[in-house]
Amino acid sequence: MTLRDGARKELPPGGTIRDLAFQIGERLGRATVGGRIDGAAEISDLRTPLLQDCRVDLITADSPDGLHVIRHSAAHIMADAILSLWPAAKLAIGPAIDEGFYYDIDLDQRLTPEDLPRIEAAMQKVIAADTAFERCTVDRSVEIVRARERGDIYKAELMEGIAADAEVTFYRHGAGAFEDLCRGPHVPSTGYVKAFRLQRLAGAYWRGDEKNRMLQRVYGTAFYSKKELEEHLARHEEALKRDHRKLGRELGLFLMDPVAPASPFFLPKGALIYNRLQQHMRELYRESGYQEVITPQIFDASLWHRSGHYEHYKDNMFFTKVDEHECAVKPMNCPAHTIIFAAEKRSYRELPLRIADFGRLHRYERSGVTSGLTRVRTFCQDDGHIFAASEQIQAEITALIAMVRGVYTLFGFNTLKVFLSTRPKESVGSDAVWEQAEQSLRDALGANGVEYVVNAGDGAFYGPKIDFIVLDALKREWQLGTIQLDFNLPERFDLNYVASDGSLRRPVMIHRAILGSIERFIGILIEHTGGNFPFWLAPEQVRVCTIADTHEPWAREVLSALMQAGVRCSSDFTNSKTGAKIRDARLARLPFTIVVGGRECEERTVALRERPDVDRGTMGLPALLALFTELERSKA
RNA sequence: GCCGACGUAGCUCAGCGGUAGAGCAGCGGUUUCGUAAACCGCAGGUCGCGGGUUCAAUUCCCGCCGUCGGCUCCA
């Protein structure tokens, strides 16, 4: 066998991964929960015999892969505990997931949050017993019959879905008291699960299909050690504190009202951020050769029939009647832009024609899926469409990738994941057109050295796309920008331009957005920054505070100088104590606070304090204004 | 849409069959103070909306609206 570090080991015939680990060392043997053979995606069980020369990566309990194994085992232990409390429960599936694990069960009795501690206690018993996880190969057809007889329809269905010639395995623990259909692997014994917590209950459809029965899902998480579990729970607490819905209310950025479900009202401070973001994008557009347009809100249904939205996107659209004509509120700007393109005879000299639009979009989202600013029914994208000749695609995509990177870096989103999504089941256009579109995106990504993952079948109905996902300060993933190729709309709207040889050619459309939706981006930014917006975005940049009433005249002079310089500033000349004023400014996430007292009045200076609590000392007005002007300019 | 939980003052929450309470915010005073909460007072609620049970409903039941957690990361 070859190990990860290149070392080679010999094993006696019939030797397993477990034997290999113990051969290397007693401690490693005890910490090992599985192995990866020849770099396979799947982790093999400890009991897997190593029949021929191969490369083995041992998976220890404290590694990311080991965590997955521990969580999977925790799911089995939870299922055992649930069955001991409610023997009538039927088990569906119970996998390990990124943040922990869950088990879907079918039980007539409704579980309540109060049941979670009971289940945890029952799990502790199973863990304390520290019995071995045993793997056994079973006869598929026999077990299907047995499962059917027990009324275990979910397991029966799962086994029926397994290829007839594949090995079917069960895992047992508790000296055979609990067994479950499972591919494994599992930790050697229940005692390996040292730190877990059950978190919440939820409904989940069998196989995620709403036509199926709704099961009860119990979510939990497990870690290698108590310390890691505590850290995870602390991170979760931090995420709750940064929840943009909570901060949005506390900081007076936006509000929601039942009169317009899933539709935010941006308050003055939120609107400031909103407009500042748009302004930034407009600056980039100026540099990148985009022209902004303003297009209608409501269109005759015929437009949507022609664009294909009526057929493919109707369920997400709002309809209305105008003079007995069926009309729809726009869910996207693209069809409007085709109208603009088609309104004139276009020359190849005009291409690539880049059109930007901050139009308001409305999409009907099902009541259960909306959330704060991140999933709303009305929003605005930093939307744009590029009409290009096919030979211009790669250069356009390249420019876009640079633009995307620049924007994300500005906001401190330093980790970028890129996905290429290909043709979905429900789609329009010919195979050849799709193939051509997907290939041009691959070429552009490759030419720019961008690493990406292919999401097969995840494209838009009109074309393949590149999606950009960033990691925020709490390491959570958010999808932001997208670049989508569209060979379909130009066809449907019969768009063309006159080429240099006088012939009529069909342009390609590139749909692109970098922030995605402004609403959603603000929500993400609130959570990313915890409400501490960079100076150039902060709705309130500076607050001037007096220590006593006598300091107000100079404070007013300072305030008016700031205002004239275009700094967004406010004042606190109330009779509160200085400590209270500082506290208020902190809670409001002010980037800077100015304190003016007797000394400053005499010297005609200000005492400057920077968030979170950096003393910037005292300075005169010219230095202060220079500092703010530079921060605003550099967007630092 | 579906499953579950929740909806009480602007916010955070208590009360849960006998008709509503606190803290913060607000307003009015007093205090003039040097970097995370001065003090006193006042005001503020169709207890989400509608129906039912009851002598009596914020409280129990039903419906609706809204919010929150979820609704394949497949044995």
Side-chain angles (χ1 to χ4, degrees):
Chain A
M1 309 303 146
T2 309
L3 297 170
R4 204 192 314 240
D5 60 5
R8 297 190 56 83
K9 290 277 172 189
E10 288 290 326
L11 266 191
T16 62
I17 294 177
R18 186 193 183 86
D19 297 335
L20 176 66
F22 271 102
Q23 192 187 320
I24 298 165
E26 180 74 19
R27 270 190 65 180
L28 181 64
R30 275 184 281 123
T32 302
V33 296
R36 178 166 281 145
I37 297 171
D38 288 332
E42 227 169 85
I43 304 168
S44 297
D45 192 85
L46 279 180
R47 282 140 285 216
T48 310
L50 300 167
L51 301 172
Q52 61 215 9
D53 186 30
C54 57
R55 182 193 143 95
V56 181
D57 294 338
L58 295 175
I59 309 286
T60 52
D62 58 347
S63 68
D65 284 331
L67 196 55
H68 197 81
V69 176
I70 286 173
R71 287 170 173 171
H72 194 181
S73 298
H76 272 231
I77 293 167
M78 181 171 78
D80 183 6
I82 289 171
L83 279 181
S84 70
L85 293 166
W86 297 278
K90 287 187 197 117
L91 303 177
I93 58 167
I97 56 177
D98 287 347
E99 295 277 289
F101 62 88
Y102 66 80
Y103 217 114
D104 283 348
I105 58 166
D106 185 357
L107 177 63
D108 287 335
Q109 189 193 326
R110 289 279 149 225
L111 296 178
T112 70
E114 288 75 51
D115 291 322
L116 294 181
R118 294 180 60 201
I119 301 171
E120 284 184 348
M123 289 173 71
Q124 287 296 2
K125 279 190 205 163
V126 177
I127 291 165
D130 196 20
T131 57
F133 271 94
E134 294 161 34
R135 177 180 199 263
C136 51
T137 305
V138 297
D139 185 303
R140 178 171 165 277
S141 47
V142 170
E143 291 299 333
I144 290 174
V145 172
R146 279 186 49 197
R148 286 267 175 226
E149 280 168 358
R150 281 199 308 273
D152 229 341
I153 51 175
Y154 306 105
K155 294 298 173 189
E157 206 176 295
L158 287 171
M159 285 188 278
E160 280 158 5
I162 299 172
D165 56 345
E167 184 185 52
V168 176
T169 55
F170 275 49
Y171 271 81
R172 298 196 173 106
H173 67 256
F178 177 87
E179 67 170 25
D180 191 9
L181 168 69
C182 186
R183 177 162 44 204
H186 279 283
V187 293
S189 68
T190 58
Y192 273 69
V193 180
K194 296 190 200 89
F196 73 94
R197 179 77 57 92
L198 299 190
Q199 294 171 302
R200 56 180 167 271
L201 296 163
Y205 298 100
W206 169 235
R207 306 209 145 183
D209 186 336
E210 61 191 82
K211 290 185 202 69
N212 289 335
R213 185 174 166 87
M214 175 70 73
L215 307 172
Q216 300 191 70
R217 175 171 295 181
V218 187
Y219 278 95
T221 194
F223 285 86
Y224 177 63
S225 68
K226 287 239 164 40
K227 182 164 165 276
E228 288 170 299
L229 175 65
E230 295 302 328
E231 282 167 6
H232 177 262
L233 296 174
R235 259 199 311 281
H236 193 67
E237 287 292 311
E238 178 61 24
L240 289 181
K241 273 190 225 153
R242 287 174 175 231
D243 189 316
H244 74 277
R245 293 165 297 195
K246 179 175 137 76
L247 283 175
R249 187 170 46 236
E250 288 174 1
L251 301 180
L253 302 178
F254 67 94
L255 62 81
M256 295 291 202
D257 190 281
V259 295
S263 307
F265 291 63
F266 281 91
L267 300 170
K269 287 181 185 175
L272 198 298
I273 297 172
Y274 200 103
N275 286 324
R276 198 70 189 80
L277 286 171
Q278 283 192 346
Q279 187 188 331
H280 178 67
M281 293 314 295
R282 286 190 170 109
E283 286 165 21
L284 293 182
Y285 287 164
R286 212 165 33 238
E287 295 163 14
S288 315
Y290 284 75
Q291 295 169 285
E292 186 175 340
V293 298
I294 298 170
T295 51
Q297 202 66 50
I298 298 175
F299 295 82
D300 190 274
S302 61
L303 179 84
W304 306 109
H305 280 291
R306 187 159 187 194
S307 69
H309 285 85
Y310 202 97
E311 193 185 345
H312 297 279
Y313 207 72
K314 191 168 166 243
D315 290 347
N316 286 296
M317 291 167 65
F318 288 100
F319 290 89
T320 185
K321 262 209 167 120
V322 179
D323 299 338
E324 295 307 302
H325 285 283
E326 187 181 26
C327 289
V329 184
K330 65 177 169 188
M332 299 182 194
N333 293 310
C334 32
H337 295 177
T338 66
I339 301 294
I340 289 174
F341 185 89
E344 294 172 38
K345 190 90 175 162
R346 299 290 178 178
S347 151
Y348 72 98
R349 295 178 202 274
E350 292 177 78
L351 304 188
L353 184 71
R354 308 184 189 91
I355 293 181
D357 195 332
F358 288 106
R360 178 136 300 272
L361 306 177
H362 290 78
R363 295 183 187 173
Y364 172 74
E365 300 283 358
R366 298 197 297 173
S367 59
V369 306
T370 61
S371 172
L373 292 180
T374 52
R375 194 84 182 266
V376 291
R377 287 182 177 159
T378 174
F379 57 98
C380 143
Q381 296 177 321
D382 57 325
D383 199 11
H385 294 94
I386 302 170
F387 295 86
S390 53
E391 61 271 21
Q392 293 169 327
I393 291 174
Q394 192 160 325
E396 286 303 300
I397 306 280
T398 297
L400 277 169
I401 289 170
M403 200 168 165
V404 164
R405 283 177 165 156
V407 170
Y408 296 168
T409 304
L410 176 65
F411 294 102
F413 294 118
N414 297 319
T415 309
L416 185 60
K417 290 191 182 180
V418 181
F419 291 92
L420 173 65
S421 297
T422 57
R423 185 173 193 171
K425 278 199 199 88
E426 199 180 338
S427 61
V428 292
S430 72
D431 292 351
V433 159
W434 271 87
E435 182 47 43
Q436 184 195 348
E438 292 179 8
Q439 195 52 49
S440 13
L441 289 184
R442 278 197 195 91
D443 290 347
L445 286 169
N448 287 284
V450 178
E451 281 188 35
Y452 63 96
V453 174
V454 174
N455 260 346
D458 214 28
F461 70 82
Y462 46 76
K465 58 176 182 171
I466 300 171
D467 288 322
F468 298 93
I469 282 120
V470 296
L471 291 191
D472 73 6
L474 299 180
K475 309 264 179 253
R476 293 170 303 180
E477 294 190 356
W478 298 100
Q479 194 198 311
L480 296 179
T482 186
I483 299 175
Q484 312 184 345
L485 277 194
D486 188 347
F487 289 81
N488 172 59
L489 272 189
E491 193 78 33
R492 283 181 173 254
F493 285 88
D494 193 26
L495 303 183
N496 53 56
Y497 64 93
V498 182
S500 56
D501 63 1
S503 66
L504 280 185
R505 298 262 176 86
R506 182 86 70 216
V508 62
M509 258 176 106
I510 303 170
H511 307 244
R512 38 72 61 214
I514 296 176
L515 304 178
S517 107
I518 311 282
E519 279 73 3
R520 187 177 144 81
F521 190 81
I522 291 176
I524 293 165
L525 204 55
I526 291 170
E527 305 208 359
H528 180 56
T529 61
N532 295 302
F533 298 103
F535 185 82
W536 69 277
L537 266 183
E540 201 183 331
Q541 297 170 309
V542 195
R543 188 176 293 177
V544 181
C545 302
T546 47
I547 288 175
D549 290 353
T550 50
H551 310 132
E552 196 175 319
W554 172 232
R556 286 209 178 276
E557 279 188 55
V558 173
L559 189 65
S560 102
L562 289 169
M563 279 176 158
Q564 281 191 13
V567 178
R568 295 186 289 274
C569 51
S570 60
S571 61
D572 187 347
F573 300 159
T574 62
N575 62 0
S576 309
K577 294 177 81 168
T578 311
K581 295 185 183 186
I582 296 292
R583 180 173 190 269
D584 288 346
R586 275 185 71 114
L587 290 176
R589 313 292 203 278
L590 268 288
F592 289 97
T593 311
I594 283 171
V595 178
V596 169
R599 286 197 295 277
E600 289 77 17
C601 287
E602 255 172 51
E603 298 166 1
R604 293 182 68 80
T605 57
V606 299
L608 184 64
R609 184 190 166 110
E610 185 174 4
R611 168 184 74 196
D613 44 19
V614 180
D615 184 357
R616 292 281 221 132
T618 56
M619 61 182 79
L621 283 184
L624 184 73
L625 295 178
L627 171 67
F628 291 161
T629 308
E630 175 55 19
L631 280 173
E632 185 73 40
R633 189 200 61 77
S634 66
K635 298 196 169 93

